[in-house]
Amino acid sequence: MALVATACSSSNDAGEGDETADGGNVTLTVATFNKFGYTDEMFDRYEAEHPGVTIEQKVAATSNEARENLNTRLAAGSGTADIEAIEVDWLPELMQFPDYFEDLASPEVEGRWLDWKVAQATTPDGKLIGYGTDVGPEGIAYRADLFEAAGLPSDRESVAELFGGDAATWDTFFQVGKDYTAKTGKPFFDSASAVYQGMVNQEEAAYEDPDSGDVIALENPRIKEMYDQVTAAATTDNMSAHFSQWSDDWTNSFQTDGFAVMLAPGWMLGVIAGNAAGVTGWDLADVFPGGSGNWGGSFLTVPSQGENVEAAKELAAWLTAPDQQIEAFNNEGTFPSQIEALESDEIKSATNEFFNNAPVGEILANRAEGVVVPFKGPQYFTIQDALSNAIVEVDVNGADPAAQWETFVGVVEGLG
């Protein structure tokens, strides 16, 4: 972000107006990552309703790649897409530089989203830099066939009870995993860093003090406790498949019975279904350790350096309107953050054929109740990334947990 801070000292007027060299026709670029649920059919429909508009979607493989791309182009003063998607974990970094983004506040969209979703993208002086896309309430996705082969309950109601039902805890989750691995000799979950992500998202203030802004990652005992618990589960108890999420090995493992469970926010359902195409047995249990958790959730922003800011604002508003968010949910499982969409019969009654016709709308709505909204300050992404990297080194590459913790400590201490 130092590059962005340097570039902030100069002004950029490229966003003035929407005239283009071809006489008024506008090509709008939309930069996203992973699975947002936006299809060519959606864009074709928008283009038909807005003559002269052409839309090009650019999809980064990972959130980290999208973050790097955006930071580089902001620092250069040119090259951003007309609409840039931002993930909630690195949104706080960019909130320090609101002048780089258009103010999206408008009476037409007021009251559209959950209050806490709007607050995440609103600066202290009231500038709204992002329209909310999805939120990430989580259930436990599991392979019913692998559970059955291990002699464990396999229907989703029994699996929910197996994990503790309303009283589910992380201790229960790891105990089920230990039993599964002992019975089968096979991995239980896909990735230790993914499990840690589910755990840390339940902490109200994991790494930074909400009042002072001070970094507290090393003083907060829960961080070391969670690190120790998840690395022990991965290595000592060998519950992990030892994959780094989004790697080729992880993607391919969906076709080879690589693991039995994974934590699944709504947006992950589309990823699982895509990677596991042709594989039967996946289901979604209405349960989560600690009751509820939210992983991820993104925003659409309009960088001020763009040449078509007004047209981009209009498209961003359309993409995040309730109807389109319901459509995106149906496409990829991205759970809406819009109140009207959340209250719709279409969401409440939604099922997912790939997940054994699980009532995913009802399950994710249940898992959204009581979600903790963690405080994420400007250092959150750096700290989270460093700890995730440490866990990956232990889980995937067999590094010493104590040594990797010290590496993490060094990163945090280097923040000042």
Side-chain angles (χ1 to χ4, degrees), residues 189-211:
F189 56 77
D190 62 324
S191 161
S193 64
V195 174
Y196 176 80
Q197 182 82 55
M199 300 171 79
V200 75
N201 282 339
Q202 295 175 329
E203 300 297 314
E204 292 185 2
Y207 303 137
E208 297 155 285
D209 186 288
D211 297 321

Side-chain angles (χ1 to χ4, degrees), residues 12-41:
N12 189 309
D13 297 324
E16 296 294 332
D18 290 283
E19 287 295 319
T20 57
D22 56 7
N25 290 331
V26 174
T27 296
L28 297 176
T29 51
V30 181
T32 62
F33 48 87
N34 298 340
K35 301 283 188 178
F36 269 64
Y38 302 151
T39 64
D40 290 341
E41 192 279 330

Side-chain angles (χ1 to χ4, degrees), residues 37 72 91 103 121 170 199 239 264-265 269 282 285 328 360 387:
T72 299
L91 173 65
D103 187 354
W170 289 107
M199 300 171 79
M239 295 181 214
L269 301 182
W282 280 98
V360 293
L387 192 49

Side-chain angles (χ1 to χ4, degrees), residues 25-81:
N25 290 331
V26 174
T27 296
L28 297 176
T29 51
V30 181
T32 62
F33 48 87
N34 298 340
K35 301 283 188 178
F36 269 64
Y38 302 151
T39 64
D40 290 341
E41 192 279 330
M42 291 175 68
F43 292 137
D44 290 345
R45 192 166 71 247
Y46 187 87
E47 290 171 356
E49 296 170 357
H50 297 77
V53 173
T54 300
I55 302 169
E56 297 177 357
Q57 183 175 199
K58 302 176 179 180
V59 183
T62 66
S63 170
N64 282 18
E65 180 183 319
R67 171 180 173 267
E68 183 177 349
N69 290 341
L70 178 56
N71 286 347
T72 299
R73 289 171 173 82
L74 288 175
S78 64
T80 62

